[in-house]
Amino acid sequence: MPFAVSKTTAARVRRASELAVGPILLFGVWWLAARGGWVNRDLLPSPVDTLRDTAANIWSGSMTEDFWSTLVRVGYSIAIAIIAGVPIGIVLGAKATVYRSVEFIIDFFRSTPATAMFPLFLLLFGLGDLAKVAVAAFAAWLVIVFNVAYGVMNARQTRILAARSMGASSLRIFRDVIFFETLPQTFIGLRTAVSLALVVIIVAEMFIGATDGMGHRIIDAQISYSLTDMYGSILIAGAMGYGLNLILLFLERSVIHWSGK
């Protein structure tokens, strides 16, 4: 037993070391670039100064308020996209002919940059938060619809046929077989949708009349030449996206523990 415990501990230490390589490498390259003058020092503050000022901004609460404003907007947009996207994706995926009839529309708008839709959503919803959430929700909705429909259409036919051979009804097959078969693809779409929604919200906060949020903070710091604040805000925005992805990965592994089996 002690050997098993020490082996588990060693594995955890090795995993932690592997995860630490990326941040250490980023910090090292950044420090060398700033210290060695690879980039104009007036344009690239040292990582130490950036992290120190970022910690001070978090401690004072100013960055925390912007962080939560952006996170709430992303949350609203994803909630709308899930509520509207999952049922439609299921309906479209259940019948291949139905999906093919609207495939062009879905693929066309999914391939259109979400930022190109800003003027349209500004005309429809004005300059407030509603426009920002709406355009992010629309972009995320398209990704979720596509992935859910794809997951339904590509459910394992062997399991569906096995359920039918045992006399299961269509509703029972959908509830007990197809629904669970589509969850892996649904989570893939959800992770992609969250990342896309965050990008759209950040850009919208930069250019669509925002008074708070990480996007507004980044562009405001750039205009006022507060570079440590700008770089720190970029790091925090990236940490938000990374954290959301980790949460979804944890949920996926907890809920879909049978994936690939």
Side-chain angles (χ1 to χ4, degrees), residues 190-245:
L190 185 56
R191 295 204 310 271
T192 306
V194 168
S195 297
L196 180 58
L198 177 59
V199 170
V200 173
I201 289 294
I202 291 290
V203 175
E205 289 173 345
M206 288 180 173
F207 303 113
I208 306 183
T211 58
D212 57 12
M214 296 307 299
H216 173 265
R217 188 181 188 92
I218 291 169
I219 201 69
D220 191 52
Q222 185 263 332
I223 292 172
S224 62
Y225 205 68
S226 180
L227 295 185
T228 55
D229 192 12
M230 185 189 77
Y231 283 101
S233 298
I234 293 172
L235 290 177
I236 295 300
M240 182 190 300
Y242 184 72
L244 290 173
N245 186 64

Side-chain angles (χ1 to χ4, degrees), residues 85-105:
V86 172
I88 293 176
I90 291 173
V91 170
L92 294 179
K95 293 289 185 181
T97 54
V98 176
Y99 180 81
R100 284 196 296 269
S101 65
V102 296
E103 183 177 12
F104 168 78
I105 298 175

Side-chain angles (χ1 to χ4, degrees), residues 240-257:
M240 182 190 300
Y242 184 72
L244 290 173
N245 186 64
L246 286 181
I247 291 172
L248 289 173
L249 280 173
F250 174 78
L251 290 175
E252 181 178 354
R253 291 168 182 169
S254 300
V255 174
I256 318 174
H257 51 81

Side-chain angles (χ1 to χ4, degrees), residues 59-72:
W59 181 259
S60 68
S62 62
M63 185 174 286
T64 305
E65 293 177 2
D66 289 321
F67 180 93
W68 283 111
S69 296
T70 297
L71 187 61
V72 167

Side-chain angles (χ1 to χ4, degrees), residues 2 9 31 33 76 80 87 164 167 195 226:
T9 303
W31 185 83
Y76 278 134
I80 293 170
R164 284 177 180 165
S195 297
S226 180

